[in-house]
Structure formats: C-alpha cells, structure tokens
Amino acid sequence: MTKTRIQNLNIRYYTPSPPNPILNLIHMDRGSSLDDDTSVHLQINELRKLSETCGSNTIFEPQSSCEARECNAESVPSAPVLRAPEKKLTLFALRLSIFEKSATGLGTLGFIWATVVLLGGFAITLDKTDFWFITIILLIEGTRIFSRSHELEWQHQATWSITDAGISSFRALRSSSHILIKAVKQTFNPLSLIRKPSHNTREVTQVDHLHVGRWNYSRTPTRTWISSDVPLLPYGKWVFLSRNISKVLYWLQLLSATACVVLSSTRLVNHNYGEVQKGDSDKRNRQSALNIFYALALAEALLFLSEKAYWEWKVIYCKLLEEVNKECELGPSGMVSIKRFFYDAYSRCVNGSIFDGLKMDMVTFAIDLLASSSPDEQLIGARILRQFAISARYSDDALQKIGVNLSVVERLVEMLNWKDPQEEEIRRSAAEILSKLAGKRQNCLRVAGIPGAMESISSLLQTNRSLGDGADEIGEKNLILDHANYSFWTFNHLGLLILKKLACDHDNCGKIGNTRGLLPKIIDFTHAGEKLLRDKNVAPSQILTVKRSLQLVQLLASTTGATGKHLRKEISEVVFTISNIRDILRHGEKHPALQKLSIEILTNLALEEEARERIGGTGGVLKELFTIFLNQGMLENQNQVRRSAGEALAMLALESRANCHRILRLQVLERLIAALEFPMLRVTAARILRNLCTYRGSDCFYLLKGVIAAAATVLKAIMSEENKLQEVMVGLAAQVFKHMTSNESSIMFERAGIKEEELAKALVQILEKYRHPSAKVPRIRRFTIELAIWLMHDNVKNVYIFKDLGMEKELEGVLETTAELESFNIFSGSVGLSRHTTTIHSLVETALNLLKDQ
C-alpha cells in the first residue's frame, strides 16, 4: 500500500479517519503478502520464508531450544541514532522563554522604578504629561503582564479538547495573525500567494468536511465540563467561552505592547520633561529617572514584540510545528498532539526553570496522556504511542520506553477491554502498540505476565458461535461483519497477531492454552471453506485471518515438554480442528502457504498417539495428504509443501496399525516406490515405506509384498549417498529385505549390480564414520546393525565377510558409546518420543552373538 504523503502542511487540524486499518495490519505482518489472485511468485516467496524460518530440522531429529523457537528473536538491523524531532520544539520553547523572562524581568524592574522612584520620589514634581504617560504605561504593562501570565493557560485550555470547537479556536487564532505574515511572505516571494490560496482553501474545506464526519463519534464526558466549552457568563456565550478568551488575551498583549512602544518612544524622542529651575534640587534627577523608565518600558515592549515576531516567523513562515509533525510521522491529525506538546514544554520553561522543557519527549508526554481520565487526552496519547511504535525510525526507542514502564503496559492491556464504539480508536491503537511490543522477547514476557492479559487479548477475538439447543449438538459459527461504526475484523487480526507473537515463548503457550475459551476461538478462525479458498477475488484480510490463526495453532502444537503435550491434546480435542485443516488441504491449492502451515499442525499433533488416531480416522485427511505429496503437477518451488505432507504421513504411520491399514487401502504403494527416485521426496517417501513395513501388522504382510521392487533403488542409495538420505535408506532396507526369500535377495543384488560384500563393507564404514551418535542422523547406527543382522541371517557367508572387515570391533565400540539419542523415533525439541521397542544394546548383542557363534 502506498504511503500517503501530506504535501500541504498548512492543514493543521484533524482530517478524516485513518486509512483502512486492515490494510495496515497486512503490512504489519512481516512476510504476509496475500495478493494471491494470479501471482504464483508471491506464494513461492512465502514458502521460502517459511522454510527459512523452520530450517531443515524436523521432528525426526532433536533440536535445541534455540532452534525450536527462533521466532523469539526479532532480528532488526541496528538503525542509526536519530535525533528526536521534538527537540526542535523544546529548543524553540527554551528560546521563547528567554525572551519572555527577559521581558518580564525588565517590565518588573520598570514597574518598581516607576512606583518607587518616579511616583514615590517625583510624584509631586512630575509634569502632568509625564504623570499620565507613566500611569498609562503602568496600567498597560500591568494588563499585559497579567494577560501574558494567563494567556498561556487559556491557550492550553483551548487545545485540551480535540473536538471541532477546540480545534477551530486555535485555527482562528492562527489565521487571524496570518494576514500580517502573508504580507511579509509576499515581499520575499510574490508568486507564492498566487498559486497557494486556492489549493489551501480547497484542502482545508475537505479537511473540515471530513473532520466533522469522523469526530461525531468522539467520546465526550457526560458528568463533567470540557474546559474549552465552559460559558463564563450566562449571556454572550460565544464571546465568553473559555476557548475564545485566549484570542482576546493574545490581541490584548500585542496592542498593549504596541501602545507601550508608541508612548515610550514619543517621550524619549520629544525629551520634554519640563524645565528645571536653577537651584531646584527636587527636580534635579527627574530627567534621568524618566529616561531610565521610558527606556526600560521601551526595551521590555520591544523584547516582547521580538518574541512574538520570532514566534510568528518560526510557526507561520518556517512552519516549525508542521515540520516536526512530518518528521514524527503523525499525519495531519497529529498537529493537535504537537501543539499540546509544545504548549506543555513552553509552560514548563516559563513557569519553572528555562531548562525544564528540555527534559520532555514525545513518548513520555504520550505516556502521561494515556494515564489521564480525559478521553481526548487518552486518544492523543494512544495515537502518538501507536505511530512511534510502528515507525521504522523510532520504534526501538519508543518500545523500550513503553516496555520498561509496567503501569503503561497494564494500561494498554486494560484498554483492550474497552468495547464502546466511541473508544474504538483508542482500543485499536492500544492493540497495535501491544502487537509491536510483543515482538520483543523481554516485553513479550511482561505483557503475558500481567494478570488478566490473556483474557483481555481474547476479548479482541469475535467469533460469535451460537449455543446449541442441547448437550448433543454444537452451535453454528456466525460470521461477524464490520459494523458501520466498528471494525470487528480489525480487532480479530490484531488479537491473532498479538497471540502469535506471544506464542513464540514457551511459557506463554501454556498461558494461552489455560485461558478459558481461547483455543476454540483461535481454531474457529482456521475455518476456510471452498468458496473462500478458490475465489480469485477474495479479500486479503480474510486469507490473513486464516493464516495468522494457523500460524498460532502451529506454534502452540509445536510446544515442547509437558506443556506441549497438554496443548496438543487440547487442540486435537476441539472437534473442528482436523476438519478445518482437511478443507484447506482439499481446496487450498491456490494457497500453498496455508497448506504448509496446516500440514505442520497435523505433524505436530501426531506426536500424541491419541491425536494420531483422530487424524487418521477423519475422512479424507490421509487421501488429501497423499494427493499433495504425490502431485507431480506442483511447481518445483512448491516442493516444500510436498515434503511437509510426506513428513506428516510418516508421522501418522508411526506406531499406528490402523493408519497403516488406511494408507494401504489407498493403493499408493507403487507411487511411493516411484517417489524414491525424486530427490526432493526420497527421504520422506523412504520414511513412509519403512513405517508401513514396521507397523503394518502381520495381516498386511502380503499387501506390502510389492515393496521389494524398491530394493534396488534403496541399495544404490546406500552405496552412493550419505547423511540423512543414507540413514533412511538403510532403515528401509532392513525392513524391505524381510519380505524377501534368499533367492529373491540374490536376484535383487544381481539386478542392482551390487555384491553383498560391497554392502557389508559400506555398513562397516558407516559404523567407522559414526563412532559416536549424531544428532543429525540419530538412528543410522541402529539401522546399520539391523541390516547387518539380516545379512548374517540370510547368508552365513556374510558372517565371515563381516569378521574380516572388523565388524566385531566396531560393534564393541558402539556398546561403549550408546546414548539415549539413539533410542527414539521422533523428538519434541530435545525430548525423545516413541521409544524403540528393541534397545540398541540388544541389537549389538544379537549381532555379536551371530559373529561369535559362527
């Protein structure tokens, strides 16, 4: 989505609602490109990202905790240190306060000089003209100082509310002084005012029109007054509204300062203070005293006018506020936030030390507003924090400040429960901030550690499944569409995104699973019917919902330890889990990324025996997996999906006689054997065949007789390949040869062009190479010994061959180096599952006995 640029910074007020939040969420989800109507490359890129994330490890190998959960570390390149844009405002406030305090100091000194020296010492001897000039100047200066001390307060109150009235008051104030600045600008650039007025007028009109439509839904207090709307007197309400007082005070200051300059200059120029008669000692110093007073008054007024000129130059001509707003990336609606920040910084500089305002920054300012009880201030704070949290330039610093402040995180979590339509933007902003915060491991733990956090996040998800009429039925899921004034789907996306990031931590997965009603909600979002999956014009947000929910379920199902076992049980017990995945496998050929996630969920669920049987017993799942695995029409770059389907099938056939029977009834044996010739499928095809041969049961022995056709291919792979492929082929050979007679095996060796002596030598070399168990090929020594035992049983001559090759020595070495690593079929992280029925010690003892007996 093209980022909107605001070209005209003269638009300083609230504009329409932000762009479609769902489109923003799609861009927030890294790697979630969903325009899959006709683009195949898009899905291929997604698959590549998935494969890079998952790596080459599978559940058939042990993994360290770091490898198992790589999503914890959000790798962000170190960005250069950027100067905070708000520093320009705090520096501007500092310089203005220097003018202001200097003028106030001179004014105070002049006031004291006039009252003590002039009116006190020369009151009787003063000329009538000077007396009234001094009196008027004192009254003017007193009025100006009084109004100046309160004008800032009134101006601050004018920006207290972000409703239309509050904004219009500031706009009217700014536009009233804009006429003078236009004249100055025209002097420097006469053509600028010819081009811009129509454009500005048009844009301001559009802003005002859209502004009113958006902020009609702004929440206003019902039991308290809004300070900017207080009618100070019962009559003339518009004039005496508190938000309009600041305009009166603003012009009153300018008029009083101008009058002071005129009066003081007049007296200083005329220099006519009356004649002093010779010998009149009472009037001897009157002229000097008056010169000092008028000079002080003139200097003070000029300083104040200089301050105002500097203000207008920076704000109107140089557009400082708009520049900072643009650099902060707050958009046109952020101008109110910038003004509030500037007034707060200026107030601190004026009322306290001139350096107090320098300590302010936008993030801390927004955090303070977020804790306010005012809805307008909460909205301003939430908007600032949201924009800084999603900004590529400022997110690191902003998220660090937010994350270390536990009260702010608690406040954001609390806001997730605000379901009032008038608080929709605050709630959405809080959810977006938390979604970014959860992407950092340390912050992720803080968010999940807040009591009630999971329940608050769960409240973002709206599935609205109706209750059944009785215990013998389940209510239907009703689709909740976005209301005219509320975006339910936006919150669904954000809720899933937050949970997905939290689930990258093992402990958080347990909390998600223990939150009442949350797992069924998540699984409801994995539902995607045929119409949705095959529609070329489907909305990206709908696919994004399914994808995020699948990613979340995949993370939960892949959790290790007792927590993972519990989660897999809970997920598989939800009656819609497997059927929803089956629909994606059946109709999701246009969305291979969704298919891959679905298959990975099945693979992880199949770690549990009970879930394995549920999956196999759900009609069509095995068939759809084989359709994907054996589909030669898929693009080569989509082989990741095929390989994942093969791993799922190998898992479902593991230690499950019922699933082995179901697979054999699909009559896919010949196609599995043919898959051994395809490099991308050889490993998974060999695992499926081995598990079928191992766990098929005695009644299916003859159904697998055709597997002997794969023997030649298997032997060649053993002799030529290494590592993982060699491991699975050795394991398959040990099972395939059990279906052969001695004559058949001799024919097979002859057909493969390999002698038994060569195979025996290759097996010994394998044991020599792997003198210690390997995490990459944890079963290779076991499979090698199994195949050696079969060779010695099949032909006595092979016993002598093994003796001559030093097999006995290698077997004794295996006895000294066995480890638990070699005792399992599969692994959940670094925990072994599905222990082999025969220990490797027993196999070694059997092989040694055969060597010794002969």
Side-chain angles (χ1 to χ4, degrees), residues 768-793:
E768 289 176 351
K769 180 179 179 180
Y770 297 101
R771 294 188 181 276
H772 298 277
S774 170
K776 291 296 182 183
V777 283
R779 293 165 294 276
I780 193 166
R781 301 202 303 179
R782 167 184 289 276
F783 293 160
T784 299
I785 296 170
E786 288 179 354
L787 183 53
I789 291 172
W790 179 86
L791 285 172
M792 287 187 283
H793 276 302

PDB file of all heavy atoms in Angstrom, residues 768-793:
ATOM      1  N   GLU A 768      32.235 -46.991  11.251  1.00  0.00           N
ATOM      2  CA  GLU A 768      33.522 -46.323  11.453  1.00  0.00           C
ATOM      3  C   GLU A 768      33.360 -44.803  11.412  1.00  0.00           C
ATOM      4  O   GLU A 768      34.009 -44.075  12.165  1.00  0.00           O
ATOM      5  CB  GLU A 768      34.511 -46.770  10.373  1.00  0.00           C
ATOM      6  CG  GLU A 768      34.992 -48.211  10.517  1.00  0.00           C
ATOM      7  CD  GLU A 768      35.886 -48.619   9.351  1.00  0.00           C
ATOM      8  OE1 GLU A 768      35.983 -47.838   8.369  1.00  0.00           O
ATOM      9  OE2 GLU A 768      36.467 -49.707   9.417  1.00  0.00           O
ATOM     10  N   LYS A 769      32.512 -44.352  10.528  1.00  0.00           N
ATOM     11  CA  LYS A 769      32.305 -42.902  10.383  1.00  0.00           C
ATOM     12  C   LYS A 769      31.575 -42.330  11.586  1.00  0.00           C
ATOM     13  O   LYS A 769      31.915 -41.241  12.075  1.00  0.00           O
ATOM     14  CB  LYS A 769      31.516 -42.620   9.098  1.00  0.00           C
ATOM     15  CG  LYS A 769      31.257 -41.147   8.850  1.00  0.00           C
ATOM     16  CD  LYS A 769      30.488 -40.942   7.546  1.00  0.00           C
ATOM     17  CE  LYS A 769      30.206 -39.475   7.288  1.00  0.00           C
ATOM     18  NZ  LYS A 769      29.450 -39.273   6.028  1.00  0.00           N
ATOM     19  N   TYR A 770      30.578 -43.044  12.075  1.00  0.00           N
ATOM     20  CA  TYR A 770      29.783 -42.552  13.199  1.00  0.00           C
ATOM     21  C   TYR A 770      30.153 -43.339  14.456  1.00  0.00           C
ATOM     22  O   TYR A 770      29.388 -44.170  14.946  1.00  0.00           O
ATOM     23  CB  TYR A 770      28.286 -42.679  12.880  1.00  0.00           C
ATOM     24  CG  TYR A 770      27.848 -41.840  11.709  1.00  0.00           C
ATOM     25  CD1 TYR A 770      27.663 -42.415  10.446  1.00  0.00           C
ATOM     26  CD2 TYR A 770      27.622 -40.474  11.841  1.00  0.00           C
ATOM     27  CE1 TYR A 770      27.265 -41.650   9.361  1.00  0.00           C
ATOM     28  CE2 TYR A 770      27.225 -39.701  10.751  1.00  0.00           C
ATOM     29  CZ  TYR A 770      27.054 -40.295   9.524  1.00  0.00           C
ATOM     30  OH  TYR A 770      26.656 -39.530   8.455  1.00  0.00           O
ATOM     31  N   ARG A 771      31.329 -43.067  14.983  1.00  0.00           N
ATOM     32  CA  ARG A 771      31.761 -43.751  16.199  1.00  0.00           C
ATOM     33  C   ARG A 771      30.999 -43.247  17.418  1.00  0.00           C
ATOM     34  O   ARG A 771      30.996 -43.893  18.465  1.00  0.00           O
ATOM     35  CB  ARG A 771      33.266 -43.556  16.400  1.00  0.00           C
ATOM     36  CG  ARG A 771      34.114 -44.237  15.324  1.00  0.00           C
ATOM     37  CD  ARG A 771      35.584 -44.181  15.665  1.00  0.00           C
ATOM     38  NE  ARG A 771      36.384 -44.812  14.624  1.00  0.00           N
ATOM     39  CZ  ARG A 771      36.615 -46.124  14.548  1.00  0.00           C
ATOM     40  NH1 ARG A 771      36.081 -46.931  15.469  1.00  0.00           N
ATOM     41  NH2 ARG A 771      37.347 -46.626  13.579  1.00  0.00           N
ATOM     42  N   HIS A 772      30.379 -42.079  17.255  1.00  0.00           N
ATOM     43  CA  HIS A 772      29.537 -41.521  18.314  1.00  0.00           C
ATOM     44  C   HIS A 772      28.185 -41.149  17.712  1.00  0.00           C
ATOM     45  O   HIS A 772      28.099 -40.834  16.519  1.00  0.00           O
ATOM     46  CB  HIS A 772      30.196 -40.293  18.942  1.00  0.00           C
ATOM     47  CG  HIS A 772      31.504 -40.578  19.609  1.00  0.00           C
ATOM     48  ND1 HIS A 772      31.599 -41.059  20.886  1.00  0.00           N
ATOM     49  CD2 HIS A 772      32.782 -40.471  19.148  1.00  0.00           C
ATOM     50  CE1 HIS A 772      32.872 -41.231  21.207  1.00  0.00           C
ATOM     51  NE2 HIS A 772      33.609 -40.890  20.158  1.00  0.00           N
ATOM     52  N   PRO A 773      27.126 -41.191  18.518  1.00  0.00           N
ATOM     53  CA  PRO A 773      25.798 -40.827  17.987  1.00  0.00           C
ATOM     54  C   PRO A 773      25.800 -39.421  17.418  1.00  0.00           C
ATOM     55  O   PRO A 773      26.453 -38.520  17.942  1.00  0.00           O
ATOM     56  CB  PRO A 773      24.886 -40.938  19.215  1.00  0.00           C
ATOM     57  CG  PRO A 773      25.609 -41.819  20.175  1.00  0.00           C
ATOM     58  CD  PRO A 773      27.064 -41.584  19.943  1.00  0.00           C
ATOM     59  N   SER A 774      25.066 -39.234  16.330  1.00  0.00           N
ATOM     60  CA  SER A 774      24.961 -37.924  15.674  1.00  0.00           C
ATOM     61  C   SER A 774      23.541 -37.399  15.789  1.00  0.00           C
ATOM     62  O   SER A 774      22.573 -38.125  15.536  1.00  0.00           O
ATOM     63  CB  SER A 774      25.360 -38.047  14.199  1.00  0.00           C
ATOM     64  OG  SER A 774      25.050 -36.851  13.504  1.00  0.00           O
ATOM     65  N   ALA A 775      23.401 -36.123  16.181  1.00  0.00           N
ATOM     66  CA  ALA A 775      22.069 -35.525  16.297  1.00  0.00           C
ATOM     67  C   ALA A 775      21.391 -35.393  14.943  1.00  0.00           C
ATOM     68  O   ALA A 775      20.160 -35.417  14.850  1.00  0.00           O
ATOM     69  CB  ALA A 775      22.171 -34.154  16.960  1.00  0.00           C
ATOM     70  N   LYS A 776      22.180 -35.266  13.856  1.00  0.00           N
ATOM     71  CA  LYS A 776      21.593 -35.131  12.524  1.00  0.00           C
ATOM     72  C   LYS A 776      21.062 -36.463  12.004  1.00  0.00           C
ATOM     73  O   LYS A 776      20.076 -36.501  11.267  1.00  0.00           O
ATOM     74  CB  LYS A 776      22.640 -34.571  11.552  1.00  0.00           C
ATOM     75  CG  LYS A 776      23.027 -33.131  11.822  1.00  0.00           C
ATOM     76  CD  LYS A 776      21.841 -32.202  11.624  1.00  0.00           C
ATOM     77  CE  LYS A 776      22.225 -30.761  11.849  1.00  0.00           C
ATOM     78  NZ  LYS A 776      21.012 -29.864  11.730  1.00  0.00           N
ATOM     79  N   VAL A 777      21.739 -37.557  12.345  1.00  0.00           N
ATOM     80  CA  VAL A 777      21.293 -38.901  11.915  1.00  0.00           C
ATOM     81  C   VAL A 777      21.308 -39.819  13.141  1.00  0.00           C
ATOM     82  O   VAL A 777      22.139 -40.717  13.269  1.00  0.00           O
ATOM     83  CB  VAL A 777      22.190 -39.444  10.780  1.00  0.00           C
ATOM     84  CG1 VAL A 777      21.858 -38.805   9.458  1.00  0.00           C
ATOM     85  CG2 VAL A 777      23.680 -39.214  11.095  1.00  0.00           C
ATOM     86  N   PRO A 778      20.367 -39.603  14.065  1.00  0.00           N
ATOM     87  CA  PRO A 778      20.435 -40.315  15.352  1.00  0.00           C
ATOM     88  C   PRO A 778      20.171 -41.815  15.260  1.00  0.00           C
ATOM     89  O   PRO A 778      20.533 -42.557  16.182  1.00  0.00           O
ATOM     90  CB  PRO A 778      19.357 -39.621  16.185  1.00  0.00           C
ATOM     91  CG  PRO A 778      18.404 -39.050  15.191  1.00  0.00           C
ATOM     92  CD  PRO A 778      19.224 -38.671  14.002  1.00  0.00           C
ATOM     93  N   ARG A 779      19.578 -42.292  14.159  1.00  0.00           N
ATOM     94  CA  ARG A 779      19.226 -43.721  14.061  1.00  0.00           C
ATOM     95  C   ARG A 779      20.121 -44.500  13.089  1.00  0.00           C
ATOM     96  O   ARG A 779      19.883 -45.685  12.857  1.00  0.00           O
ATOM     97  CB  ARG A 779      17.765 -43.851  13.597  1.00  0.00           C
ATOM     98  CG  ARG A 779      16.757 -43.350  14.611  1.00  0.00           C
ATOM     99  CD  ARG A 779      15.398 -43.157  13.987  1.00  0.00           C
ATOM    100  NE  ARG A 779      15.426 -42.075  12.996  1.00  0.00           N
ATOM    101  CZ  ARG A 779      15.292 -40.782  13.288  1.00  0.00           C
ATOM    102  NH1 ARG A 779      15.116 -40.417  14.536  1.00  0.00           N
ATOM    103  NH2 ARG A 779      15.346 -39.873  12.347  1.00  0.00           N
ATOM    104  N   ILE A 780      21.129 -43.878  12.527  1.00  0.00           N
ATOM    105  CA  ILE A 780      21.889 -44.543  11.467  1.00  0.00           C
ATOM    106  C   ILE A 780      22.639 -45.768  11.983  1.00  0.00           C
ATOM    107  O   ILE A 780      22.716 -46.802  11.300  1.00  0.00           O
ATOM    108  CB  ILE A 780      22.853 -43.550  10.776  1.00  0.00           C
ATOM    109  CG1 ILE A 780      23.387 -44.164   9.486  1.00  0.00           C
ATOM    110  CG2 ILE A 780      23.947 -43.087  11.723  1.00  0.00           C
ATOM    111  CD1 ILE A 780      24.073 -43.184   8.569  1.00  0.00           C
ATOM    112  N   ARG A 781      23.163 -45.699  13.204  1.00  0.00           N
ATOM    113  CA  ARG A 781      23.888 -46.877  13.720  1.00  0.00           C
ATOM    114  C   ARG A 781      22.922 -48.016  14.023  1.00  0.00           C
ATOM    115  O   ARG A 781      23.212 -49.174  13.767  1.00  0.00           O
ATOM    116  CB  ARG A 781      24.680 -46.497  14.972  1.00  0.00           C
ATOM    117  CG  ARG A 781      25.700 -45.382  14.730  1.00  0.00           C
ATOM    118  CD  ARG A 781      26.810 -45.361  15.751  1.00  0.00           C
ATOM    119  NE  ARG A 781      26.348 -45.228  17.120  1.00  0.00           N
ATOM    120  CZ  ARG A 781      27.173 -45.213  18.186  1.00  0.00           C
ATOM    121  NH1 ARG A 781      28.485 -45.329  18.019  1.00  0.00           N
ATOM    122  NH2 ARG A 781      26.687 -45.069  19.405  1.00  0.00           N
ATOM    123  N   ARG A 782      21.765 -47.684  14.542  1.00  0.00           N
ATOM    124  CA  ARG A 782      20.751 -48.713  14.815  1.00  0.00           C
ATOM    125  C   ARG A 782      20.332 -49.407  13.523  1.00  0.00           C
ATOM    126  O   ARG A 782      20.273 -50.642  13.442  1.00  0.00           O
ATOM    127  CB  ARG A 782      19.538 -48.068  15.491  1.00  0.00           C
ATOM    128  CG  ARG A 782      18.285 -48.955  15.559  1.00  0.00           C
ATOM    129  CD  ARG A 782      17.115 -48.213  16.136  1.00  0.00           C
ATOM    130  NE  ARG A 782      17.326 -47.986  17.557  1.00  0.00           N
ATOM    131  CZ  ARG A 782      17.049 -48.871  18.514  1.00  0.00           C
ATOM    132  NH1 ARG A 782      16.549 -50.060  18.182  1.00  0.00           N
ATOM    133  NH2 ARG A 782      17.245 -48.593  19.760  1.00  0.00           N
ATOM    134  N   PHE A 783      19.997 -48.613  12.497  1.00  0.00           N
ATOM    135  CA  PHE A 783      19.553 -49.198  11.230  1.00  0.00           C
ATOM    136  C   PHE A 783      20.665 -50.024  10.587  1.00  0.00           C
ATOM    137  O   PHE A 783      20.417 -51.083   9.993  1.00  0.00           O
ATOM    138  CB  PHE A 783      19.104 -48.095  10.265  1.00  0.00           C
ATOM    139  CG  PHE A 783      17.852 -47.359  10.703  1.00  0.00           C
ATOM    140  CD1 PHE A 783      17.541 -46.100  10.195  1.00  0.00           C
ATOM    141  CD2 PHE A 783      16.990 -47.935  11.614  1.00  0.00           C
ATOM    142  CE1 PHE A 783      16.399 -45.439  10.582  1.00  0.00           C
ATOM    143  CE2 PHE A 783      15.825 -47.266  12.016  1.00  0.00           C
ATOM    144  CZ  PHE A 783      15.546 -46.019  11.506  1.00  0.00           C
ATOM    145  N   THR A 784      21.896 -49.568  10.709  1.00  0.00           N
ATOM    146  CA  THR A 784      23.033 -50.302  10.140  1.00  0.00           C
ATOM    147  C   THR A 784      23.172 -51.678  10.793  1.00  0.00           C
ATOM    148  O   THR A 784      23.378 -52.696  10.101  1.00  0.00           O
ATOM    149  CB  THR A 784      24.326 -49.487  10.333  1.00  0.00           C
ATOM    150  OG1 THR A 784      24.187 -48.231   9.655  1.00  0.00           O
ATOM    151  CG2 THR A 784      25.526 -50.232   9.763  1.00  0.00           C
ATOM    152  N   ILE A 785      23.041 -51.726  12.099  1.00  0.00           N
ATOM    153  CA  ILE A 785      23.149 -53.007  12.812  1.00  0.00           C
ATOM    154  C   ILE A 785      21.983 -53.924  12.453  1.00  0.00           C
ATOM    155  O   ILE A 785      22.151 -55.142  12.264  1.00  0.00           O
ATOM    156  CB  ILE A 785      23.211 -52.760  14.330  1.00  0.00           C
ATOM    157  CG1 ILE A 785      24.485 -51.974  14.679  1.00  0.00           C
ATOM    158  CG2 ILE A 785      23.180 -54.079  15.099  1.00  0.00           C
ATOM    159  CD1 ILE A 785      24.531 -51.462  16.097  1.00  0.00           C
ATOM    160  N   GLU A 786      20.770 -53.357  12.319  1.00  0.00           N
ATOM    161  CA  GLU A 786      19.616 -54.166  11.918  1.00  0.00           C
ATOM    162  C   GLU A 786      19.843 -54.804  10.548  1.00  0.00           C
ATOM    163  O   GLU A 786      19.540 -56.000  10.334  1.00  0.00           O
ATOM    164  CB  GLU A 786      18.348 -53.295  11.896  1.00  0.00           C
ATOM    165  CG  GLU A 786      17.815 -52.903  13.265  1.00  0.00           C
ATOM    166  CD  GLU A 786      16.578 -52.029  13.165  1.00  0.00           C
ATOM    167  OE1 GLU A 786      16.223 -51.639  12.025  1.00  0.00           O
ATOM    168  OE2 GLU A 786      15.960 -51.727  14.201  1.00  0.00           O
ATOM    169  N   LEU A 787      20.361 -54.026   9.600  1.00  0.00           N
ATOM    170  CA  LEU A 787      20.603 -54.552   8.253  1.00  0.00           C
ATOM    171  C   LEU A 787      21.729 -55.602   8.276  1.00  0.00           C
ATOM    172  O   LEU A 787      21.645 -56.632   7.586  1.00  0.00           O
ATOM    173  CB  LEU A 787      20.966 -53.409   7.305  1.00  0.00           C
ATOM    174  CG  LEU A 787      21.190 -53.779   5.834  1.00  0.00           C
ATOM    175  CD1 LEU A 787      19.998 -54.553   5.264  1.00  0.00           C
ATOM    176  CD2 LEU A 787      21.463 -52.538   4.999  1.00  0.00           C
ATOM    177  N   ALA A 788      22.751 -55.368   9.093  1.00  0.00           N
ATOM    178  CA  ALA A 788      23.835 -56.350   9.209  1.00  0.00           C
ATOM    179  C   ALA A 788      23.315 -57.670   9.780  1.00  0.00           C
ATOM    180  O   ALA A 788      23.712 -58.760   9.332  1.00  0.00           O
ATOM    181  CB  ALA A 788      24.937 -55.778  10.082  1.00  0.00           C
ATOM    182  N   ILE A 789      22.430 -57.602  10.759  1.00  0.00           N
ATOM    183  CA  ILE A 789      21.839 -58.822  11.334  1.00  0.00           C
ATOM    184  C   ILE A 789      21.061 -59.580  10.271  1.00  0.00           C
ATOM    185  O   ILE A 789      21.157 -60.825  10.158  1.00  0.00           O
ATOM    186  CB  ILE A 789      20.940 -58.455  12.533  1.00  0.00           C
ATOM    187  CG1 ILE A 789      21.783 -57.952  13.702  1.00  0.00           C
ATOM    188  CG2 ILE A 789      20.092 -59.651  12.957  1.00  0.00           C
ATOM    189  CD1 ILE A 789      20.977 -57.393  14.851  1.00  0.00           C
ATOM    190  N   TRP A 790      20.288 -58.845   9.454  1.00  0.00           N
ATOM    191  CA  TRP A 790      19.529 -59.553   8.405  1.00  0.00           C
ATOM    192  C   TRP A 790      20.477 -60.214   7.408  1.00  0.00           C
ATOM    193  O   TRP A 790      20.238 -61.363   6.983  1.00  0.00           O
ATOM    194  CB  TRP A 790      18.629 -58.564   7.661  1.00  0.00           C
ATOM    195  CG  TRP A 790      17.865 -59.255   6.559  1.00  0.00           C
ATOM    196  CD1 TRP A 790      16.678 -59.913   6.664  1.00  0.00           C
ATOM    197  CD2 TRP A 790      18.289 -59.397   5.194  1.00  0.00           C
ATOM    198  NE1 TRP A 790      16.315 -60.451   5.461  1.00  0.00           N
ATOM    199  CE2 TRP A 790      17.281 -60.161   4.530  1.00  0.00           C
ATOM    200  CE3 TRP A 790      19.400 -58.979   4.477  1.00  0.00           C
ATOM    201  CZ2 TRP A 790      17.366 -60.500   3.185  1.00  0.00           C
ATOM    202  CZ3 TRP A 790      19.484 -59.310   3.139  1.00  0.00           C
ATOM    203  CH2 TRP A 790      18.476 -60.068   2.493  1.00  0.00           C
ATOM    204  N   LEU A 791      21.550 -59.532   7.021  1.00  0.00           N
ATOM    205  CA  LEU A 791      22.506 -60.126   6.068  1.00  0.00           C
ATOM    206  C   LEU A 791      23.135 -61.393   6.636  1.00  0.00           C
ATOM    207  O   LEU A 791      23.326 -62.381   5.910  1.00  0.00           O
ATOM    208  CB  LEU A 791      23.597 -59.107   5.735  1.00  0.00           C
ATOM    209  CG  LEU A 791      23.203 -57.956   4.796  1.00  0.00           C
ATOM    210  CD1 LEU A 791      24.315 -56.927   4.705  1.00  0.00           C
ATOM    211  CD2 LEU A 791      22.854 -58.471   3.403  1.00  0.00           C
ATOM    212  N   MET A 792      23.458 -61.377   7.921  1.00  0.00           N
ATOM    213  CA  MET A 792      24.062 -62.574   8.524  1.00  0.00           C
ATOM    214  C   MET A 792      23.051 -63.700   8.650  1.00  0.00           C
ATOM    215  O   MET A 792      23.388 -64.867   8.499  1.00  0.00           O
ATOM    216  CB  MET A 792      24.658 -62.210   9.890  1.00  0.00           C
ATOM    217  CG  MET A 792      25.939 -61.373   9.791  1.00  0.00           C
ATOM    218  SD  MET A 792      26.777 -61.106  11.362  1.00  0.00           S
ATOM    219  CE  MET A 792      25.755 -59.851  12.088  1.00  0.00           C
ATOM    220  N   HIS A 793      21.793 -63.349   8.908  1.00  0.00           N
ATOM    221  CA  HIS A 793      20.746 -64.390   8.943  1.00  0.00           C
ATOM    222  C   HIS A 793      20.488 -64.938   7.542  1.00  0.00           C
ATOM    223  O   HIS A 793      20.233 -66.142   7.373  1.00  0.00           O
ATOM    224  CB  HIS A 793      19.434 -63.805   9.507  1.00  0.00           C
ATOM    225  CG  HIS A 793      19.380 -63.808  11.004  1.00  0.00           C
ATOM    226  ND1 HIS A 793      19.514 -64.946  11.757  1.00  0.00           N
ATOM    227  CD2 HIS A 793      19.176 -62.790  11.878  1.00  0.00           C
ATOM    228  CE1 HIS A 793      19.409 -64.652  13.049  1.00  0.00           C
ATOM    229  NE2 HIS A 793      19.202 -63.329  13.146  1.00  0.00           N
TER     230      HIS A 793
END
